[in-house]
């Protein structure tokens, strides 16, 4: 994603998909397609899906998770192109109309494919990591009340000491003393396995 993308509506891919969707909706409002509910519904679904998938993917925290939704959006755009060919075959639209609509579809496909390639790149992973660090720094600053937080870098966690309910032994025994004491300990009556 380019710097400055704050909302899914800022994505060029989303904008191109919406432009294509609106052009298809205008075609669906005209005869004879307006009365063919089945084909109209299939076409409208295939063009309504991509902007929705891009918006949903944008809300994910991982570039690869976002990429899954972008791939689905791309597949829906291709499906809509197939529906346009079917409309020409049924003589609902002319080949010239299909060509004009297909140009919008190709523009949307180009933007969606570019976004998909970016999301699958190492650069996207690095940018996502930096964004997470900035978010952590902002949340920390809000909690602590500092004004200009520095991004937190991941540090290895050290195990915290375990607490016990009993008082620690002031002088630790050597392993040899501990084993000897265990072997020579007498068994109290009634503590066997009962056989």
């Amino acid at each position: 994603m380019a710097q400055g993308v704050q909302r899914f509506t800022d994505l060029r891919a989303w904008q191109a998909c919406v432009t294509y969707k609106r052009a298809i909706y205008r075609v669906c409002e005209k005869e004879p397609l307006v009365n063919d509910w089945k084909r109209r519904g299939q076409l409208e679904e295939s063009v309504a899906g991509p902007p929705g998938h891009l918006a949903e993917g944008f809300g994910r925290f991982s570039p690869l998770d976002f990429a899954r939704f972008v791939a689905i959006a791309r597949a829906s755009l291709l499906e809509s192109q197939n529906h346009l060919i079917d409309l020409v075959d049924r003589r609902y639209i002319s080949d010239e109309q299909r060509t004009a609509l297909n140009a919008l579809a190709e523009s949307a496909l180009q933007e969606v494919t570019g976004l998909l390639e970016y999301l699958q790149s190492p650069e996207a992973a690095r940018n996502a990591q930096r964004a997470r660090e900035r978010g952590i720094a902002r949340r920390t600053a809000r909690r602590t009340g500092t004004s200009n937080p520095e991004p937190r870098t991941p540090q290895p966690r050290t195990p915290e000491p375990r607490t016990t309910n009993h008082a620690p032994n002031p002088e630790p025994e050597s392993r040899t003393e501990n084993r000897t004491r265990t072997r020579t300990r007498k068994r109290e009556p009634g503590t066997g396995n009962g056989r």
Side-chain angles (χ1 to χ4, degrees):
M1 286 176 294
Q3 192 174 19
V5 175
Q6 301 297 319
R7 308 274 308 145
F8 66 87
T9 54
D10 297 335
L11 293 168
R12 289 192 323 245
W14 183 87
Q15 294 166 358
C17 287
V18 168
T19 300
Y20 175 52
K21 175 187 76 169
R22 290 175 180 159
I24 291 294
Y25 283 0
R26 287 192 296 275
V27 169
C28 290
E29 293 169 352
K30 297 178 183 169
E31 291 285 341
L33 192 56
V34 72
N35 296 319
D36 190 338
W37 294 101
K38 181 179 179 182
R39 278 178 187 70
R40 178 182 175 181
Q42 287 176 332
L43 182 58
E44 286 179 339
E45 275 185 42
S46 67
V47 296
H53 291 305
L54 294 173
E56 186 173 356
F58 185 82
R60 301 297 170 143
F61 294 106
S62 157
L64 293 178
D65 201 15
F66 186 0
R68 272 187 330 110
F69 287 91
V70 176
I72 294 168
R74 187 175 186 284
S76 293
L77 288 170
L78 293 169
E79 177 190 359
S80 73
Q81 287 180 303
N82 181 67
H83 290 316
L84 290 177
I85 293 168
D86 187 47
L87 294 181
V88 171
D89 294 345
R90 292 185 167 276
R91 297 194 173 126
Y92 283 3
I93 62 172
S94 67
D95 196 45
E96 292 77 25
Q97 285 176 301
R98 185 200 65 79
T99 302
L101 292 168
N102 197 55
L104 292 173
E106 286 296 325
S107 175
L109 273 170
Q110 184 177 3
E111 292 294 340
V112 167
T113 302
L115 177 59
L116 182 61
E117 289 171 353
Y118 165 74
L119 290 170
Q120 294 172 336
S121 73
E123 179 186 358
R126 286 191 301 272
N127 288 340
Q129 179 63 34
R130 283 194 287 269
R132 279 190 291 276
E133 289 172 2
R134 283 192 303 270
I136 290 168
R138 279 193 300 271
R139 285 189 297 278
T140 303
R142 279 195 302 266
R143 280 194 303 266
T144 61
T146 56
S147 60
N148 191 9
E150 291 293 319
R152 209 171 80 178
T153 56
Q155 298 175 357
R157 295 190 72 172
T158 57
E160 296 179 14
R162 294 185 184 186
T163 58
T164 57
N165 293 336
H166 56 58
N169 189 357
E171 294 180 22
E173 299 177 347
S174 70
R175 288 185 178 198
T176 310
E177 290 175 350
N178 191 13
R179 271 189 250 137
T180 306
R181 196 173 55 139
T182 305
R183 271 188 259 143
T184 59
R185 187 180 297 161
K186 292 183 182 176
R187 204 177 264 192
E188 294 180 24
T191 59
N193 59 11
R195 287 188 192 173

